Every structure is written in C-alpha cells, then in structure tokens.
C-alpha cells in the first residue's frame, strides 16, 4: 500500500458521495493535466489520480478497498489489482484502465464523448498495451479529446455578446462600420492577454432591429490549440424621435398645415427611403396614416413606410394671422364639432 490511500489522493472523505468524488476528480484533472500544469511531477500525479478514481468510483471495488483499509494485513496480494498500478508502473496507466473508468459509449460530463473518441485519441496501437506510458508531454496529448469536458485542452473559447448601434440610413443601404474591441489573444505561454483591435463590420442591407451579426473567432480565447469563440453583435437601430420601427415596418410622423389637410396637396417628405413626393388626401385628420408599400426596411421581405399625419397650426401672434382666423371662423360658423 502507498503511504497515502486513494481517498487521500483524491482529497475526499471515506464516506464521500459518488457525486462529490467525481467533482473532486475533475478538479484534480484540470489542475494536474500535464499540458497545463506547472507541477514538476504532473504526469505521475495524473496517473496516481486516475488509479485512485478507478477504484473508488466502482461500488464493488470500493467495498473491497475499504475492507482492505480496515484490515491492512489481509489480502495484501490483491493490492496491485486496485487502479492498475502494478501493470502500468508508477506514473503510467493502461488503456484498459481508461476504458473501465469511462465505459463503452458512456456519456461523461455535460458535453459527453464516445469511447471511440478516446480510442482514436490514444491511437489504435495503444489498446491492450499494459505498459503504455503517458509520462511525456508529447504522449499525453491524448487527453486533448477530453478538453470539452475538463475545460483544459483544445476547447473552444466562449462566445461573447455585445451591442452595436447603427443608423437607420445604414440599414436601408448597407454600410461599413468600425468598432474598437479588447480582443482576447492566447500567448505562447498559454496565458490570455488582450489586444486593442479595430474591427471592420459589414452592416447587411435590410437587417432589422435586434438581429445579430456574427464575427467568427473574435470571442474569448480557446484553451491551448482550441479555437476562439465567436462574437455576436446585437444590432440596435438609431433613428430620429419622429420615427418608430416595428419589425421591417417604419412609422414616421409628418407635420402638415391645416390647409394641406383640408384641401389636399402634394408635399415632399424626407424619409429613410429618400425624399418622396406624397399626396395628402382632402379632409385628412391628425393621426391618419399614409402607407407607402415597400418603402420600409428592405429586408428579405421588405416592410412598408407609414407616414402618420400631424396637423400643426401656424403661429397667430400677428394681427394679420388673427384676422385670417376670424374670417375662417365666420366661414365655418355652421360647422358642428363633436367634443
């Protein structure tokens, strides 16, 4: 028996639950993985951890091991059967040990992986080899397949999300924008640093409010050789106060004079779709909408532009204006207005 028992190696109590043991095991693998750990004996440490976990994760093996701990002078010849230490040698592990830990086709961890993934990671020649060593860093690269589960090797960086504000005119025509970001960059020593970078972004014509633009590889840095995550920019459309947007439809409030509303006239209106000539119908009311089909945001299915009429009375501070309104009042003396 080694000086430290398997519970000591994993840092758990003898009555620890299976969930606590698995949680501690993952934490230790992340800490002592040979490709990321600065520990001088990381290779042997990983082998020791694997041997311990193989035994106490198995209900029957754990019961036998506990019995042996309680009576250390019994069954000493069976000690080498726990964890595969005798077969693999100090600091090594066997392919069969890994197979017994993770099982054929067993989904392990949140991401999960297949037994075939492990098989291909260590090479088909390793299967059945009792003395296959993982003592050197070049040989330990097989653990790269476990990166998505342990958060160590070759795992893709997290996707990042941000917001970009663009002008409504840019949405109508498509445009190029530049933004400055602190982009995560993994250095040769494995550390992550941040680099100020200016990114040029193409604003697609017809993109609507709330849609996202994906910038591949501009998210958080991946582990080791893992790819960077992606950056997703949520589009927020900037527009004037007299405009509101509903999907691809655009609503714009347009001020008109009382006589334009009453008599009906053709007026020129500056809109996101350009300057448009619009005919105001006779007897138009405030709040009524003029629909311009297809003049909304030019999305895959173009929206419409709605001009909401707002009648604005002119200033009557001058004597001439007051007289004009008095005449208007007399002209419409018989008009009844519902209040």
């Amino acid at each position: 028996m080694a000086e430290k028992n398997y519970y000591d190696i994993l840092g758990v109590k003898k009555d620890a639950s299976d969930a606590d043991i698995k949680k501690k095991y993952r934490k230790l693998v992340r800490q002592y993985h040979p490709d990321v750990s600065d520990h001088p004996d990381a290779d042997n440490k990983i082998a020791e951890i694997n041997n311990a976990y193989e035994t106490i994760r198995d209900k029957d093996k754990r019961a036998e091991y506990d019995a042996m701990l309680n009576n250390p002078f019994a069954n000493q010849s069976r000690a080498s059967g726990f964890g595969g230490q005798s077969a693999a040698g100090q600091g090594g592990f066997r392919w069969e040990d890994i197979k017994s830990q993770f099982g054929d086709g067993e989904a392990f961890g949140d991401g999960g992986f297949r037994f075939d993934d492990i098989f291909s990671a260590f090479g088909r020649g390793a299967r059945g080899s009792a003395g296959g060593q993982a003592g050197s860093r070049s040989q330990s690269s097989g653990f790269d397949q476990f990166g998505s589960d342990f958060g160590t090797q070759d795992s893709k960086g997290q996707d990042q999300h941000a917001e970009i504000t663009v002008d409504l005119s840019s949405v109508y025509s498509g445009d190029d924008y530049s933004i400055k970001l602190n982009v995560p960059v993994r250095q040769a020593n494995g550390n992550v640093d941040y680099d100020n970078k200016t990114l040029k972004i193409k604003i697609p014509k017809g993109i609507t409010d709330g849609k996202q633009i994906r910038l591949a590889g501009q998210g958080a840095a991946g582990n080791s050789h893992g790819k960077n995550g992606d950056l997703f920019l949520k589009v927020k459309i900037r527009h004037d106060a007299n405009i509101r947007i509903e999907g691809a439809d655009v609503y714009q409030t347009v001020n008109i004079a009382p006589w334009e509303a009453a008599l009906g006239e053709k007026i020129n209106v500056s809109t996101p779709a350009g300057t448009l000539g619009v005919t105001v119908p006779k007897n138009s009311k405030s709040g009524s909408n003029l629909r311009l089909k297809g003049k909304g945001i030019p999305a895959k299915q173009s929206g419409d532009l709605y001009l909401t009429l707002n009648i604005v009375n002119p200033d009557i501070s001058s004597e001439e204006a007051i007289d004009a309104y008095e005449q208007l009042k007399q002209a419409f003396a018989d008009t009844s207005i519902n209040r």
Side-chain angles (χ1 to χ4, degrees):
M1 293 291 296
E3 287 186 15
K4 293 172 65 176
N5 64 46
Y6 289 155
Y7 295 101
D8 293 335
I9 291 172
L10 294 179
V12 297
K13 295 181 180 179
K14 285 188 65 177
D15 60 352
S17 67
D18 292 343
D20 288 339
I21 291 171
K22 180 179 286 189
K23 182 178 180 181
K24 189 66 175 180
Y25 170 66
R26 291 183 180 181
K27 182 177 180 181
L28 290 172
V29 170
R30 294 189 188 100
Q31 181 178 354
Y32 292 107
H33 189 292
D35 283 351
V36 298
S37 175
D38 294 329
H39 193 283
D41 199 25
D43 297 310
N44 290 336
K45 193 74 175 176
I46 279 290
E48 185 181 49
I49 292 167
N50 281 331
N51 290 333
Y53 180 66
E54 181 200 12
T55 297
I56 65 174
R57 73 183 290 270
D58 183 277
K59 182 178 179 180
D60 294 332
K61 288 183 180 181
R62 184 177 180 181
E64 286 188 68
Y65 185 69
D66 287 346
M68 189 171 62
L69 288 179
N70 293 332
N71 185 6
F73 297 103
N75 300 323
Q76 288 190 16
S77 63
R78 302 179 67 183
S80 63
F82 292 106
Q85 285 181 312
S86 175
Q90 183 65 26
F93 55 84
R94 301 177 303 163
W95 174 259
E96 299 302 328
D97 296 337
I98 297 174
K99 177 182 176 182
S100 65
Q101 285 183 39
F102 298 104
D104 288 318
E106 178 185 359
F108 186 86
D110 296 334
F113 54 81
R114 300 172 306 163
F115 179 66
D116 286 343
D117 296 335
I118 306 173
F119 190 88
S120 61
F122 286 88
R124 298 190 177 273
R127 184 168 183 140
S129 172
Q133 295 289 320
S136 69
R137 292 181 180 268
S138 61
Q139 290 173 315
S140 67
S141 61
F143 275 101
D144 293 353
Q145 295 294 324
F146 307 159
S148 61
D149 192 61
F150 295 134
T152 55
Q153 285 298 97
D154 288 355
S155 60
K156 182 182 176 182
Q158 288 186 340
D159 293 336
Q160 301 293 314
H161 297 264
E163 189 176 86
I164 182 173
T165 301
V166 302
D167 293 325
L168 181 56
S169 59
S170 298
V171 172
Y172 267 79
S173 61
D175 207 348
D176 293 323
Y177 273 66
S178 294
I179 61 171
K180 291 184 179 180
L181 294 175
N182 285 328
V183 180
V185 178
R186 185 167 294 279
Q187 307 298 319
N189 60 6
N191 294 330
V192 175
D193 200 359
Y194 287 85
D195 183 26
N196 289 324
K197 187 175 182 181
T198 299
L199 299 178
K200 289 187 176 181
I201 303 167
K202 179 68 177 177
I203 305 300
K205 178 180 178 180
I207 193 168
T208 53
D209 201 64
K211 294 294 186 180
Q212 295 190 113
I213 299 173
R214 173 176 171 263
L215 301 180
Q218 301 298 338
N223 288 325
S224 186
H225 301 294
K227 295 181 179 180
N228 287 0
D230 299 332
L231 173 62
F232 291 88
L233 297 176
K234 183 179 180 180
V235 172
K236 181 178 180 181
I237 299 177
R238 178 171 47 223
H239 52 76
D240 293 336
N242 66 330
I243 288 177
R244 84 175 192 274
I245 298 173
E246 294 183 6
D249 293 334
V250 177
Y251 292 79
Q252 179 179 344
T253 300
V254 177
N255 294 331
I256 60 174
W259 53 88
E260 291 173 333
L263 302 176
E265 290 191 19
K266 186 171 183 179
I267 60 174
N268 291 325
V269 182
S270 179
T271 75
T275 300
L276 303 176
V278 179
T279 299
V280 178
K282 290 182 179 181
N283 296 316
S284 291
K285 305 293 190 293
S286 277
S288 59
N289 288 319
L290 304 182
R291 178 187 175 212
L292 304 182
K293 187 176 180 181
K295 295 298 183 180
I297 293 176
K300 186 175 182 181
Q301 183 173 352
S302 295
D304 298 330
L305 174 62
Y306 293 87
L307 301 181
T308 303
L309 301 179
N310 179 47
I311 299 174
V312 178
N313 292 314
D315 181 35
I316 58 170
S317 58
S318 68
E319 289 295 331
E320 291 80 3
I322 293 175
D323 289 341
Y325 269 88
E326 286 292 343
Q327 294 176 23
L328 184 63
K329 178 180 176 181
Q330 294 299 324
F332 291 93
D334 295 335
T335 301
S336 178
I337 299 177
N338 294 325
R339 306 191 189 278

